């Protein structure tokens, strides 16, 4: 499912434009599974599946499989509908260089929301 992120984000011209000044790599962990996602000027250029020994990334977003499943559901319940809500509930850990994450927060919120089931049907 995470592998579909590249096509969905790159297919949204407005989102790519929003991230036009963003070039980074970040780690996304869902339970024991991990993906290294590389972004160049707002476009996702690669989604690499782990496991990794020493991944090189700016920051990491880590949550349980169950929490990501709720976040990516068609209608996420309150507290699971937003990355900051997950952080507030302490079920999502954001680690590393958080300046990059926070400076581009809306981009990351919209990009990861592209994996919701409703987005898959569109």
């Amino acid at each position: 499912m995470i592998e579909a992120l590249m096509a969905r984000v790159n297919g949204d011209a407005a989102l790519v434009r929003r991230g036009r000044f963003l070039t980074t790599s970040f780690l996304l962990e869902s339970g024991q599974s991990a993906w290294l996602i590389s972004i160049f000027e707002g476009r996702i250029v690669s989604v690499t599946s782990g496991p990794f020994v020493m991944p090189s990334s700016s920051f990491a977003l880590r949550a349980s499989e169950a929490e990501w499943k709720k976040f990516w559901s068609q209608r996420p319940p309150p507290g699971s509908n937003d990355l900051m809500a997950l952080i507030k509930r302490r079920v999502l850990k954001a680690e590393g260089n958080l300046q990059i994450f926070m400076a581009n927060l809306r981009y990351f919120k919209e990009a990861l929301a592209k994996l919701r089931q409703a987005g898959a049907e569109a």
Side-chain angles (χ1 to χ4, degrees), residues 43-86:
R43 292 192 167 278
I44 295 180
V45 293
S46 69
V47 177
T48 309
S49 179
F52 304 103
V53 176
M54 292 178 63
S56 177
S57 62
S58 299
F59 64 93
L61 298 175
R62 295 181 168 100
S64 69
E65 245 180 88
E67 289 299 331
W68 282 121
K69 193 172 186 173
K70 283 193 267 183
F71 177 79
W72 287 321
S73 66
Q74 186 173 3
R75 301 191 111 197
S80 295
N81 61 327
D82 184 77
L83 293 178
M84 294 309 289
L86 293 172

Side-chain angles (χ1 to χ4, degrees), residues 5-56:
L5 186 65
M6 184 167 29
R8 292 186 189 166
V9 169
N10 294 346
D12 186 341
L15 183 57
V16 171
R17 185 177 186 288
R18 177 176 307 285
R20 67 189 177 276
F21 301 116
L22 174 64
T23 298
T24 192
S25 292
F26 73 99
L27 188 68
L28 180 72
E29 285 188 8
S30 175
Q32 297 299 316
S33 303
W35 293 268
L36 189 60
I37 301 168
S38 297
I39 302 168
F40 180 75
E41 295 179 353
R43 292 192 167 278
I44 295 180
V45 293
S46 69
V47 177
T48 309
S49 179
F52 304 103
V53 176
M54 292 178 63
S56 177

